[in-house]
Amino acid sequence: MLVPERTIVRVNPPGTPDHEADLAAVRATPFRTVMVAKADASLPALDGLDVVALCETASGVVDAAALARRDDVVALMWGAEDLVASLGGTSSRFGPGERAPGVYRDVARQARSTVLLAAGAAGKQAIDAVHLDIADLDGLRAEAVDAVASGFAATACIHPRHVPVIREAYAPTPAEVARAEAVLAAAADHEAGGGAGVFALDGVMVDEPVLRHARAVLSRAVG
């Protein structure tokens, strides 16, 4: 059974014949979070709905910061293929025989970073794009691990086979949890002993950003 609080309904882009029909259908249900395809700054306010803005066109990526600052927007996601299509391109990734087969082209990597930074600056969550090659689980895993390390809150799936791979990538390892717990415990001891500010643990500097990293690891461990 779908739980409204944990379900996002994707709706067609504004300006298309089905957009208003999609919104009317959603409003007739308990679901209140929608992902709006091809969102940009022209998106009208969607009263009563939380919005995941899918920035998958050139205008959407350029408008990512403005979208993230909206009160009705709870998260941003980016999309590679529609983005490149909006630019008149043919592929978001390097192909066989090119310099890095399977890796995003520079414009896609810039869009990914732009959306992540826009979301973070506004205190909103960022969702990484789907991995279109269904059978490429190793590539998916590498991208999901990078997404976690970079600060994405989630990675979208294109196929059920991708779900366990992404969940494993977002779950910290026992070693990562142990290190995070040790860092936070050492910080508590440091403060209790009258220390303030930066200190060292096992020869490694620990400051507030490192403590925030540790807290983020533990939050994923129980999430």
Side-chain angles (χ1 to χ4, degrees), residues 146-185:
D146 178 74
V148 175
S150 298
F152 281 94
T155 294
C157 296
I158 194 66
H159 191 275
R161 290 180 62 189
H162 289 186
V163 174
V165 176
I166 291 172
R167 284 181 172 172
E168 181 182 2
Y170 275 79
T173 66
E176 290 171 333
V177 171
R179 177 62 183 180
E181 291 175 339
V183 167
L184 294 177

PDB file of all heavy atoms in Angstrom, residues 146-185:
ATOM      1  N   ASP A 146      29.147   8.243  -5.106  1.00  0.00           N
ATOM      2  CA  ASP A 146      29.571   9.625  -5.287  1.00  0.00           C
ATOM      3  C   ASP A 146      28.476  10.602  -4.867  1.00  0.00           C
ATOM      4  O   ASP A 146      28.764  11.649  -4.280  1.00  0.00           O
ATOM      5  CB  ASP A 146      29.949   9.869  -6.749  1.00  0.00           C
ATOM      6  CG  ASP A 146      30.352  11.307  -7.008  1.00  0.00           C
ATOM      7  OD1 ASP A 146      31.466  11.686  -6.594  1.00  0.00           O
ATOM      8  OD2 ASP A 146      29.548  12.057  -7.604  1.00  0.00           O
ATOM      9  N   ALA A 147      27.218  10.252  -5.155  1.00  0.00           N
ATOM     10  CA  ALA A 147      26.101  11.117  -4.778  1.00  0.00           C
ATOM     11  C   ALA A 147      26.035  11.291  -3.259  1.00  0.00           C
ATOM     12  O   ALA A 147      25.842  12.402  -2.756  1.00  0.00           O
ATOM     13  CB  ALA A 147      24.786  10.541  -5.304  1.00  0.00           C
ATOM     14  N   VAL A 148      26.203  10.194  -2.537  1.00  0.00           N
ATOM     15  CA  VAL A 148      26.198  10.258  -1.064  1.00  0.00           C
ATOM     16  C   VAL A 148      27.325  11.154  -0.573  1.00  0.00           C
ATOM     17  O   VAL A 148      27.122  12.049   0.256  1.00  0.00           O
ATOM     18  CB  VAL A 148      26.347   8.850  -0.457  1.00  0.00           C
ATOM     19  CG1 VAL A 148      26.452   8.951   1.057  1.00  0.00           C
ATOM     20  CG2 VAL A 148      25.183   7.964  -0.847  1.00  0.00           C
ATOM     21  N   ALA A 149      28.515  10.919  -1.084  1.00  0.00           N
ATOM     22  CA  ALA A 149      29.676  11.674  -0.623  1.00  0.00           C
ATOM     23  C   ALA A 149      29.555  13.157  -0.959  1.00  0.00           C
ATOM     24  O   ALA A 149      30.074  14.003  -0.236  1.00  0.00           O
ATOM     25  CB  ALA A 149      30.949  11.098  -1.239  1.00  0.00           C
ATOM     26  N   SER A 150      28.848  13.463  -2.051  1.00  0.00           N
ATOM     27  CA  SER A 150      28.719  14.850  -2.495  1.00  0.00           C
ATOM     28  C   SER A 150      27.621  15.604  -1.758  1.00  0.00           C
ATOM     29  O   SER A 150      27.623  16.839  -1.744  1.00  0.00           O
ATOM     30  CB  SER A 150      28.449  14.897  -3.998  1.00  0.00           C
ATOM     31  OG  SER A 150      29.525  14.330  -4.727  1.00  0.00           O
ATOM     32  N   GLY A 151      26.653  14.880  -1.182  1.00  0.00           N
ATOM     33  CA  GLY A 151      25.602  15.544  -0.425  1.00  0.00           C
ATOM     34  C   GLY A 151      24.201  15.369  -0.951  1.00  0.00           C
ATOM     35  O   GLY A 151      23.264  15.997  -0.439  1.00  0.00           O
ATOM     36  N   PHE A 152      23.999  14.538  -1.965  1.00  0.00           N
ATOM     37  CA  PHE A 152      22.649  14.261  -2.427  1.00  0.00           C
ATOM     38  C   PHE A 152      21.888  13.493  -1.344  1.00  0.00           C
ATOM     39  O   PHE A 152      22.448  12.634  -0.655  1.00  0.00           O
ATOM     40  CB  PHE A 152      22.662  13.438  -3.714  1.00  0.00           C
ATOM     41  CG  PHE A 152      22.946  14.239  -4.947  1.00  0.00           C
ATOM     42  CD1 PHE A 152      24.228  14.350  -5.444  1.00  0.00           C
ATOM     43  CD2 PHE A 152      21.918  14.902  -5.604  1.00  0.00           C
ATOM     44  CE1 PHE A 152      24.508  15.097  -6.577  1.00  0.00           C
ATOM     45  CE2 PHE A 152      22.170  15.659  -6.743  1.00  0.00           C
ATOM     46  CZ  PHE A 152      23.469  15.757  -7.232  1.00  0.00           C
ATOM     47  N   ALA A 153      20.603  13.801  -1.215  1.00  0.00           N
ATOM     48  CA  ALA A 153      19.768  13.121  -0.220  1.00  0.00           C
ATOM     49  C   ALA A 153      19.251  11.794  -0.729  1.00  0.00           C
ATOM     50  O   ALA A 153      18.882  10.926   0.062  1.00  0.00           O
ATOM     51  CB  ALA A 153      18.584  14.015   0.162  1.00  0.00           C
ATOM     52  N   ALA A 154      19.213  11.628  -2.055  1.00  0.00           N
ATOM     53  CA  ALA A 154      18.667  10.410  -2.640  1.00  0.00           C
ATOM     54  C   ALA A 154      19.112  10.302  -4.086  1.00  0.00           C
ATOM     55  O   ALA A 154      19.559  11.284  -4.691  1.00  0.00           O
ATOM     56  CB  ALA A 154      17.137  10.419  -2.569  1.00  0.00           C
ATOM     57  N   THR A 155      18.985   9.103  -4.631  1.00  0.00           N
ATOM     58  CA  THR A 155      19.199   8.855  -6.052  1.00  0.00           C
ATOM     59  C   THR A 155      17.935   8.201  -6.598  1.00  0.00           C
ATOM     60  O   THR A 155      17.420   7.251  -6.002  1.00  0.00           O
ATOM     61  CB  THR A 155      20.405   7.926  -6.288  1.00  0.00           C
ATOM     62  OG1 THR A 155      21.608   8.604  -5.877  1.00  0.00           O
ATOM     63  CG2 THR A 155      20.531   7.548  -7.755  1.00  0.00           C
ATOM     64  N   ALA A 156      17.430   8.705  -7.689  1.00  0.00           N
ATOM     65  CA  ALA A 156      16.214   8.154  -8.284  1.00  0.00           C
ATOM     66  C   ALA A 156      16.517   6.855  -9.017  1.00  0.00           C
ATOM     67  O   ALA A 156      17.624   6.644  -9.518  1.00  0.00           O
ATOM     68  CB  ALA A 156      15.590   9.160  -9.242  1.00  0.00           C
ATOM     69  N   CYS A 157      15.521   5.976  -9.073  1.00  0.00           N
ATOM     70  CA  CYS A 157      15.659   4.674  -9.731  1.00  0.00           C
ATOM     71  C   CYS A 157      14.862   4.639 -11.030  1.00  0.00           C
ATOM     72  O   CYS A 157      13.776   5.210 -11.117  1.00  0.00           O
ATOM     73  CB  CYS A 157      15.146   3.550  -8.836  1.00  0.00           C
ATOM     74  SG  CYS A 157      16.073   3.319  -7.317  1.00  0.00           S
ATOM     75  N   ILE A 158      15.379   3.929 -12.015  1.00  0.00           N
ATOM     76  CA  ILE A 158      14.669   3.717 -13.260  1.00  0.00           C
ATOM     77  C   ILE A 158      14.137   2.286 -13.357  1.00  0.00           C
ATOM     78  O   ILE A 158      13.304   1.971 -14.200  1.00  0.00           O
ATOM     79  CB  ILE A 158      15.588   4.026 -14.467  1.00  0.00           C
ATOM     80  CG1 ILE A 158      14.791   4.152 -15.765  1.00  0.00           C
ATOM     81  CG2 ILE A 158      16.675   2.951 -14.614  1.00  0.00           C
ATOM     82  CD1 ILE A 158      13.864   5.330 -15.800  1.00  0.00           C
ATOM     83  N   HIS A 159      14.598   1.389 -12.442  1.00  0.00           N
ATOM     84  CA  HIS A 159      14.232  -0.028 -12.520  1.00  0.00           C
ATOM     85  C   HIS A 159      14.331  -0.634 -11.120  1.00  0.00           C
ATOM     86  O   HIS A 159      15.201  -0.240 -10.329  1.00  0.00           O
ATOM     87  CB  HIS A 159      15.189  -0.751 -13.480  1.00  0.00           C
ATOM     88  CG  HIS A 159      14.750  -2.135 -13.835  1.00  0.00           C
ATOM     89  ND1 HIS A 159      15.028  -3.229 -13.051  1.00  0.00           N
ATOM     90  CD2 HIS A 159      14.042  -2.606 -14.915  1.00  0.00           C
ATOM     91  CE1 HIS A 159      14.524  -4.309 -13.623  1.00  0.00           C
ATOM     92  NE2 HIS A 159      13.921  -3.964 -14.737  1.00  0.00           N
ATOM     93  N   PRO A 160      13.463  -1.600 -10.801  1.00  0.00           N
ATOM     94  CA  PRO A 160      13.519  -2.224  -9.466  1.00  0.00           C
ATOM     95  C   PRO A 160      14.872  -2.830  -9.124  1.00  0.00           C
ATOM     96  O   PRO A 160      15.249  -2.873  -7.943  1.00  0.00           O
ATOM     97  CB  PRO A 160      12.427  -3.294  -9.538  1.00  0.00           C
ATOM     98  CG  PRO A 160      11.456  -2.779 -10.547  1.00  0.00           C
ATOM     99  CD  PRO A 160      12.294  -2.072 -11.577  1.00  0.00           C
ATOM    100  N   ARG A 161      15.638  -3.282 -10.134  1.00  0.00           N
ATOM    101  CA  ARG A 161      16.961  -3.851  -9.855  1.00  0.00           C
ATOM    102  C   ARG A 161      17.903  -2.827  -9.237  1.00  0.00           C
ATOM    103  O   ARG A 161      18.885  -3.198  -8.585  1.00  0.00           O
ATOM    104  CB  ARG A 161      17.585  -4.374 -11.155  1.00  0.00           C
ATOM    105  CG  ARG A 161      16.935  -5.616 -11.734  1.00  0.00           C
ATOM    106  CD  ARG A 161      17.627  -6.033 -13.014  1.00  0.00           C
ATOM    107  NE  ARG A 161      19.032  -6.384 -12.784  1.00  0.00           N
ATOM    108  CZ  ARG A 161      19.901  -6.615 -13.771  1.00  0.00           C
ATOM    109  NH1 ARG A 161      19.522  -6.505 -15.030  1.00  0.00           N
ATOM    110  NH2 ARG A 161      21.145  -6.944 -13.490  1.00  0.00           N
ATOM    111  N   HIS A 162      17.619  -1.564  -9.429  1.00  0.00           N
ATOM    112  CA  HIS A 162      18.506  -0.524  -8.927  1.00  0.00           C
ATOM    113  C   HIS A 162      18.289  -0.205  -7.454  1.00  0.00           C
ATOM    114  O   HIS A 162      19.155   0.392  -6.814  1.00  0.00           O
ATOM    115  CB  HIS A 162      18.326   0.751  -9.754  1.00  0.00           C
ATOM    116  CG  HIS A 162      18.876   0.639 -11.140  1.00  0.00           C
ATOM    117  ND1 HIS A 162      18.932   1.714 -12.012  1.00  0.00           N
ATOM    118  CD2 HIS A 162      19.412  -0.419 -11.819  1.00  0.00           C
ATOM    119  CE1 HIS A 162      19.470   1.324 -13.139  1.00  0.00           C
ATOM    120  NE2 HIS A 162      19.765   0.038 -13.060  1.00  0.00           N
ATOM    121  N   VAL A 163      17.140  -0.580  -6.923  1.00  0.00           N
ATOM    122  CA  VAL A 163      16.798  -0.198  -5.552  1.00  0.00           C
ATOM    123  C   VAL A 163      17.815  -0.718  -4.534  1.00  0.00           C
ATOM    124  O   VAL A 163      18.357   0.062  -3.738  1.00  0.00           O
ATOM    125  CB  VAL A 163      15.379  -0.652  -5.186  1.00  0.00           C
ATOM    126  CG1 VAL A 163      15.081  -0.389  -3.710  1.00  0.00           C
ATOM    127  CG2 VAL A 163      14.348   0.050  -6.066  1.00  0.00           C
ATOM    128  N   PRO A 164      18.118  -2.028  -4.500  1.00  0.00           N
ATOM    129  CA  PRO A 164      19.062  -2.495  -3.475  1.00  0.00           C
ATOM    130  C   PRO A 164      20.467  -1.932  -3.651  1.00  0.00           C
ATOM    131  O   PRO A 164      21.181  -1.722  -2.665  1.00  0.00           O
ATOM    132  CB  PRO A 164      19.053  -4.028  -3.638  1.00  0.00           C
ATOM    133  CG  PRO A 164      18.526  -4.267  -5.018  1.00  0.00           C
ATOM    134  CD  PRO A 164      17.580  -3.153  -5.296  1.00  0.00           C
ATOM    135  N   VAL A 165      20.873  -1.679  -4.888  1.00  0.00           N
ATOM    136  CA  VAL A 165      22.206  -1.116  -5.126  1.00  0.00           C
ATOM    137  C   VAL A 165      22.299   0.282  -4.531  1.00  0.00           C
ATOM    138  O   VAL A 165      23.279   0.634  -3.859  1.00  0.00           O
ATOM    139  CB  VAL A 165      22.508  -1.079  -6.640  1.00  0.00           C
ATOM    140  CG1 VAL A 165      23.850  -0.400  -6.897  1.00  0.00           C
ATOM    141  CG2 VAL A 165      22.505  -2.487  -7.216  1.00  0.00           C
ATOM    142  N   ILE A 166      21.283   1.079  -4.751  1.00  0.00           N
ATOM    143  CA  ILE A 166      21.283   2.448  -4.232  1.00  0.00           C
ATOM    144  C   ILE A 166      21.164   2.447  -2.716  1.00  0.00           C
ATOM    145  O   ILE A 166      21.861   3.212  -2.023  1.00  0.00           O
ATOM    146  CB  ILE A 166      20.155   3.259  -4.889  1.00  0.00           C
ATOM    147  CG1 ILE A 166      20.475   3.478  -6.371  1.00  0.00           C
ATOM    148  CG2 ILE A 166      19.959   4.591  -4.178  1.00  0.00           C
ATOM    149  CD1 ILE A 166      19.361   4.106  -7.161  1.00  0.00           C
ATOM    150  N   ARG A 167      20.316   1.596  -2.178  1.00  0.00           N
ATOM    151  CA  ARG A 167      20.180   1.540  -0.719  1.00  0.00           C
ATOM    152  C   ARG A 167      21.493   1.155  -0.060  1.00  0.00           C
ATOM    153  O   ARG A 167      21.874   1.720   0.974  1.00  0.00           O
ATOM    154  CB  ARG A 167      19.073   0.560  -0.342  1.00  0.00           C
ATOM    155  CG  ARG A 167      17.673   1.105  -0.572  1.00  0.00           C
ATOM    156  CD  ARG A 167      16.615   0.114  -0.158  1.00  0.00           C
ATOM    157  NE  ARG A 167      15.280   0.713  -0.197  1.00  0.00           N
ATOM    158  CZ  ARG A 167      14.156   0.045  -0.026  1.00  0.00           C
ATOM    159  NH1 ARG A 167      14.196  -1.266   0.215  1.00  0.00           N
ATOM    160  NH2 ARG A 167      12.999   0.665  -0.084  1.00  0.00           N
ATOM    161  N   GLU A 168      22.198   0.214  -0.654  1.00  0.00           N
ATOM    162  CA  GLU A 168      23.492  -0.189  -0.098  1.00  0.00           C
ATOM    163  C   GLU A 168      24.491   0.962  -0.149  1.00  0.00           C
ATOM    164  O   GLU A 168      25.274   1.176   0.785  1.00  0.00           O
ATOM    165  CB  GLU A 168      24.041  -1.387  -0.875  1.00  0.00           C
ATOM    166  CG  GLU A 168      25.381  -1.891  -0.353  1.00  0.00           C
ATOM    167  CD  GLU A 168      25.930  -3.049  -1.160  1.00  0.00           C
ATOM    168  OE1 GLU A 168      25.290  -3.447  -2.159  1.00  0.00           O
ATOM    169  OE2 GLU A 168      27.006  -3.552  -0.794  1.00  0.00           O
ATOM    170  N   ALA A 169      24.457   1.737  -1.240  1.00  0.00           N
ATOM    171  CA  ALA A 169      25.383   2.853  -1.381  1.00  0.00           C
ATOM    172  C   ALA A 169      25.128   3.935  -0.338  1.00  0.00           C
ATOM    173  O   ALA A 169      26.068   4.547   0.179  1.00  0.00           O
ATOM    174  CB  ALA A 169      25.284   3.441  -2.784  1.00  0.00           C
ATOM    175  N   TYR A 170      23.860   4.164  -0.021  1.00  0.00           N
ATOM    176  CA  TYR A 170      23.518   5.223   0.933  1.00  0.00           C
ATOM    177  C   TYR A 170      23.685   4.777   2.384  1.00  0.00           C
ATOM    178  O   TYR A 170      23.792   5.621   3.277  1.00  0.00           O
ATOM    179  CB  TYR A 170      22.089   5.720   0.689  1.00  0.00           C
ATOM    180  CG  TYR A 170      22.013   6.779  -0.382  1.00  0.00           C
ATOM    181  CD1 TYR A 170      22.056   6.431  -1.719  1.00  0.00           C
ATOM    182  CD2 TYR A 170      21.931   8.128  -0.061  1.00  0.00           C
ATOM    183  CE1 TYR A 170      22.014   7.391  -2.725  1.00  0.00           C
ATOM    184  CE2 TYR A 170      21.885   9.100  -1.049  1.00  0.00           C
ATOM    185  CZ  TYR A 170      21.931   8.728  -2.381  1.00  0.00           C
ATOM    186  OH  TYR A 170      21.894   9.680  -3.368  1.00  0.00           O
ATOM    187  N   ALA A 171      23.696   3.482   2.632  1.00  0.00           N
ATOM    188  CA  ALA A 171      23.876   2.996   4.001  1.00  0.00           C
ATOM    189  C   ALA A 171      25.363   2.990   4.344  1.00  0.00           C
ATOM    190  O   ALA A 171      26.168   2.387   3.633  1.00  0.00           O
ATOM    191  CB  ALA A 171      23.303   1.593   4.141  1.00  0.00           C
ATOM    192  N   PRO A 172      25.784   3.661   5.417  1.00  0.00           N
ATOM    193  CA  PRO A 172      27.202   3.665   5.772  1.00  0.00           C
ATOM    194  C   PRO A 172      27.669   2.278   6.200  1.00  0.00           C
ATOM    195  O   PRO A 172      26.894   1.486   6.740  1.00  0.00           O
ATOM    196  CB  PRO A 172      27.275   4.661   6.928  1.00  0.00           C
ATOM    197  CG  PRO A 172      25.901   4.683   7.506  1.00  0.00           C
ATOM    198  CD  PRO A 172      24.967   4.442   6.354  1.00  0.00           C
ATOM    199  N   THR A 173      28.944   1.995   5.958  1.00  0.00           N
ATOM    200  CA  THR A 173      29.516   0.719   6.367  1.00  0.00           C
ATOM    201  C   THR A 173      29.718   0.707   7.879  1.00  0.00           C
ATOM    202  O   THR A 173      29.772   1.770   8.527  1.00  0.00           O
ATOM    203  CB  THR A 173      30.864   0.492   5.684  1.00  0.00           C
ATOM    204  OG1 THR A 173      31.798   1.479   6.163  1.00  0.00           O
ATOM    205  CG2 THR A 173      30.737   0.602   4.165  1.00  0.00           C
ATOM    206  N   PRO A 174      29.858  -0.477   8.484  1.00  0.00           N
ATOM    207  CA  PRO A 174      30.148  -0.535   9.926  1.00  0.00           C
ATOM    208  C   PRO A 174      31.392   0.263  10.299  1.00  0.00           C
ATOM    209  O   PRO A 174      31.435   0.901  11.356  1.00  0.00           O
ATOM    210  CB  PRO A 174      30.330  -2.031  10.178  1.00  0.00           C
ATOM    211  CG  PRO A 174      29.474  -2.692   9.142  1.00  0.00           C
ATOM    212  CD  PRO A 174      29.610  -1.826   7.923  1.00  0.00           C
ATOM    213  N   ALA A 175      32.399   0.240   9.435  1.00  0.00           N
ATOM    214  CA  ALA A 175      33.622   0.990   9.724  1.00  0.00           C
ATOM    215  C   ALA A 175      33.350   2.494   9.719  1.00  0.00           C
ATOM    216  O   ALA A 175      33.886   3.236  10.555  1.00  0.00           O
ATOM    217  CB  ALA A 175      34.704   0.648   8.698  1.00  0.00           C
ATOM    218  N   GLU A 176      32.522   2.954   8.794  1.00  0.00           N
ATOM    219  CA  GLU A 176      32.190   4.380   8.737  1.00  0.00           C
ATOM    220  C   GLU A 176      31.389   4.796   9.967  1.00  0.00           C
ATOM    221  O   GLU A 176      31.604   5.878  10.522  1.00  0.00           O
ATOM    222  CB  GLU A 176      31.405   4.681   7.466  1.00  0.00           C
ATOM    223  CG  GLU A 176      32.235   4.591   6.190  1.00  0.00           C
ATOM    224  CD  GLU A 176      31.406   4.683   4.937  1.00  0.00           C
ATOM    225  OE1 GLU A 176      30.198   4.311   4.965  1.00  0.00           O
ATOM    226  OE2 GLU A 176      31.953   5.117   3.906  1.00  0.00           O
ATOM    227  N   VAL A 177      30.470   3.934  10.399  1.00  0.00           N
ATOM    228  CA  VAL A 177      29.691   4.229  11.600  1.00  0.00           C
ATOM    229  C   VAL A 177      30.600   4.278  12.825  1.00  0.00           C
ATOM    230  O   VAL A 177      30.506   5.196  13.662  1.00  0.00           O
ATOM    231  CB  VAL A 177      28.577   3.181  11.801  1.00  0.00           C
ATOM    232  CG1 VAL A 177      27.916   3.348  13.163  1.00  0.00           C
ATOM    233  CG2 VAL A 177      27.538   3.299  10.693  1.00  0.00           C
ATOM    234  N   ALA A 178      31.499   3.305  12.935  1.00  0.00           N
ATOM    235  CA  ALA A 178      32.409   3.264  14.083  1.00  0.00           C
ATOM    236  C   ALA A 178      33.295   4.505  14.119  1.00  0.00           C
ATOM    237  O   ALA A 178      33.528   5.089  15.188  1.00  0.00           O
ATOM    238  CB  ALA A 178      33.261   1.996  14.028  1.00  0.00           C
ATOM    239  N   ARG A 179      33.790   4.918  12.971  1.00  0.00           N
ATOM    240  CA  ARG A 179      34.643   6.112  12.923  1.00  0.00           C
ATOM    241  C   ARG A 179      33.844   7.356  13.302  1.00  0.00           C
ATOM    242  O   ARG A 179      34.323   8.199  14.072  1.00  0.00           O
ATOM    243  CB  ARG A 179      35.229   6.283  11.520  1.00  0.00           C
ATOM    244  CG  ARG A 179      36.077   7.546  11.339  1.00  0.00           C
ATOM    245  CD  ARG A 179      37.292   7.543  12.243  1.00  0.00           C
ATOM    246  NE  ARG A 179      38.046   8.797  12.111  1.00  0.00           N
ATOM    247  CZ  ARG A 179      39.146   9.064  12.789  1.00  0.00           C
ATOM    248  NH1 ARG A 179      39.640   8.167  13.644  1.00  0.00           N
ATOM    249  NH2 ARG A 179      39.780  10.218  12.633  1.00  0.00           N
ATOM    250  N   ALA A 180      32.617   7.474  12.795  1.00  0.00           N
ATOM    251  CA  ALA A 180      31.784   8.631  13.129  1.00  0.00           C
ATOM    252  C   ALA A 180      31.501   8.681  14.625  1.00  0.00           C
ATOM    253  O   ALA A 180      31.566   9.751  15.257  1.00  0.00           O
ATOM    254  CB  ALA A 180      30.484   8.579  12.340  1.00  0.00           C
ATOM    255  N   GLU A 181      31.194   7.528  15.214  1.00  0.00           N
ATOM    256  CA  GLU A 181      30.932   7.481  16.656  1.00  0.00           C
ATOM    257  C   GLU A 181      32.176   7.855  17.447  1.00  0.00           C
ATOM    258  O   GLU A 181      32.088   8.581  18.457  1.00  0.00           O
ATOM    259  CB  GLU A 181      30.451   6.084  17.045  1.00  0.00           C
ATOM    260  CG  GLU A 181      29.061   5.753  16.514  1.00  0.00           C
ATOM    261  CD  GLU A 181      28.646   4.320  16.792  1.00  0.00           C
ATOM    262  OE1 GLU A 181      29.557   3.472  17.020  1.00  0.00           O
ATOM    263  OE2 GLU A 181      27.439   4.040  16.778  1.00  0.00           O
ATOM    264  N   ALA A 182      33.342   7.404  16.965  1.00  0.00           N
ATOM    265  CA  ALA A 182      34.591   7.726  17.661  1.00  0.00           C
ATOM    266  C   ALA A 182      34.891   9.221  17.579  1.00  0.00           C
ATOM    267  O   ALA A 182      35.343   9.827  18.567  1.00  0.00           O
ATOM    268  CB  ALA A 182      35.744   6.923  17.053  1.00  0.00           C
ATOM    269  N   VAL A 183      34.635   9.814  16.430  1.00  0.00           N
ATOM    270  CA  VAL A 183      34.874  11.252  16.267  1.00  0.00           C
ATOM    271  C   VAL A 183      33.987  12.055  17.202  1.00  0.00           C
ATOM    272  O   VAL A 183      34.449  12.972  17.903  1.00  0.00           O
ATOM    273  CB  VAL A 183      34.635  11.666  14.803  1.00  0.00           C
ATOM    274  CG1 VAL A 183      34.555  13.184  14.676  1.00  0.00           C
ATOM    275  CG2 VAL A 183      35.750  11.127  13.905  1.00  0.00           C
ATOM    276  N   LEU A 184      32.712  11.711  17.257  1.00  0.00           N
ATOM    277  CA  LEU A 184      31.782  12.459  18.106  1.00  0.00           C
ATOM    278  C   LEU A 184      32.067  12.230  19.590  1.00  0.00           C
ATOM    279  O   LEU A 184      31.954  13.157  20.405  1.00  0.00           O
ATOM    280  CB  LEU A 184      30.347  12.078  17.773  1.00  0.00           C
ATOM    281  CG  LEU A 184      29.888  12.489  16.361  1.00  0.00           C
ATOM    282  CD1 LEU A 184      28.479  11.991  16.094  1.00  0.00           C
ATOM    283  CD2 LEU A 184      29.964  14.001  16.194  1.00  0.00           C
ATOM    284  N   ALA A 185      32.465  11.011  19.945  1.00  0.00           N
ATOM    285  CA  ALA A 185      32.815  10.733  21.338  1.00  0.00           C
ATOM    286  C   ALA A 185      34.063  11.511  21.742  1.00  0.00           C
ATOM    287  O   ALA A 185      34.142  12.071  22.842  1.00  0.00           O
ATOM    288  CB  ALA A 185      33.034   9.239  21.532  1.00  0.00           C
TER     289      ALA A 185
END
